[in-house]
Amino acid sequence: MPTLKNEPDTCREYGFCNCLECGAVVKKDITLCPRCHSHLHSRKPKSLQKSWMFLITSIILFFPANLLPITYTRTIGQPVQVDTIMSSILFLWHHGSYAVASIIFVASIFTPFFKIAVLLYLLTHPAPKRPPVIQTKLYRFIHFVGRWSMIDVFVVALLGALVQNNLASITPGAGIFAFAAVVVATMFATEQFDIRILWDKYRDYSCKNQS
Ligand SMILES: [Zn+2]
């Protein structure tokens, strides 16, 4: 078993696996937890392939999400107003709703873009020569923000429900469905990625190069 100076050993190197559901430590070759009966894997199976698949899906959907209309606003006596995410942010900004415009910009444009960029960085990262602490923090952060990214979908659903009378109506466009799909795909890509792979790579690299 390779050991590393100033570094704690891992469960895997001792031939054990940690059940993520109940915390039991069992031998690596056991596939079913004897305690809670959940499937055991020392690393998420096919983590990189699955993460890549969801990431590529989210990159493809990012374009229709931002280019297609998210809402159609119909007001009596007025032409139908068609809005994309960006045009609705600019509309809010020009009408003085700076805080709402900023929140929607951060949640709908910046956050998905940032998540995609971080996942691309993590997936294409070569064997780290130093402990991947920053990468782990970035991963934890995108994992945390995932659940707050649906704000745009909620705004459209709320507007559609509130502005529904004889004089005006708001209906969702294809862009909002593409946007929801981007959020879901990035959440799956994040969920499938196993950050321990980077620590394994770092460990392998360091074991090979330690004097
Ligand atoms: Zn268990």
Side-chain angles (χ1 to χ4, degrees):
M1 183 189 73
T3 53
L4 211 53
K5 278 181 228 158
N6 308 322
E7 275 281 323
D9 295 324
T10 61
C11 218
R12 194 189 203 188
E13 282 150 3
Y14 283 96
F16 289 98
C17 173
N18 188 16
C19 174
L20 295 176
E21 306 293 329
C22 74
V25 176
V26 288
K27 284 201 172 154
K28 209 164 65 176
D29 47 359
I30 295 175
T31 54
L32 213 60
C33 176
R35 207 172 172 201
C36 70
H37 309 293
S38 62
H39 287 279
L40 295 172
H41 306 282
S42 67
R43 299 292 177 266
K44 291 178 188 172
K46 295 186 181 164
S47 155
L48 293 179
Q49 293 95 320
K50 287 180 188 169
S51 198
W52 266 117
M53 183 183 79
F54 286 116
L55 181 63
I56 291 168
T57 308
S58 65
I59 293 170
I60 294 169
L61 288 168
F62 190 75
F63 294 97
N66 283 283
L67 298 173
L68 293 178
I70 56 159
T71 51
Y72 296 97
T73 311
R74 293 176 178 83
T75 316
I76 285 191
Q78 301 279 333
V80 176
Q81 190 184 329
V82 181
D83 279 305
T84 60
I85 292 179
M86 201 58 196
S87 75
S88 55
I89 292 169
L90 291 173
F91 177 83
L92 287 165
W93 188 268
H94 289 310
H95 284 77
S97 303
Y98 302 119
V100 181
S102 305
I103 290 170
I104 295 181
F105 176 79
V106 170
S108 307
I109 304 220
F110 179 76
T111 307
F113 183 79
F114 181 73
K115 281 179 76 176
I116 288 171
V118 169
L119 282 165
L120 265 177
Y121 167 67
L122 294 175
L123 282 165
T124 53
H125 202 70
K129 292 175 185 170
R130 277 179 293 179
V133 177
I134 293 170
Q135 290 87 335
T136 307
K137 282 183 180 167
L138 278 172
Y139 176 74
R140 267 209 302 268
F141 182 70
I142 61 164
H143 201 268
F144 171 76
V145 296
R147 71 195 81 166
W148 302 106
S149 307
M150 279 290 188
I151 195 163
D152 221 45
V153 181
F154 290 134
V155 169
V156 171
L158 203 66
L159 282 176
L162 288 174
V163 188
Q164 202 68 257
N165 52 46
N166 294 333
L167 298 175
S169 72
I170 294 179
T171 46
I176 202 69
F177 299 107
F179 175 78
V182 168
V183 174
V184 172
T186 53
M187 280 168 87
F188 279 133
T190 312
E191 202 56 50
Q192 290 300 329
F193 184 72
D194 196 334
I195 192 71
R196 290 172 297 183
I197 290 171
L198 282 189
W199 286 93
D200 291 342
K201 283 184 184 177
Y202 159 69
R203 203 174 172 86
D204 292 345
Y205 172 86
S206 307
C207 285
K208 265 184 223 157
N209 292 284
Q210 90 177 332
S211 50

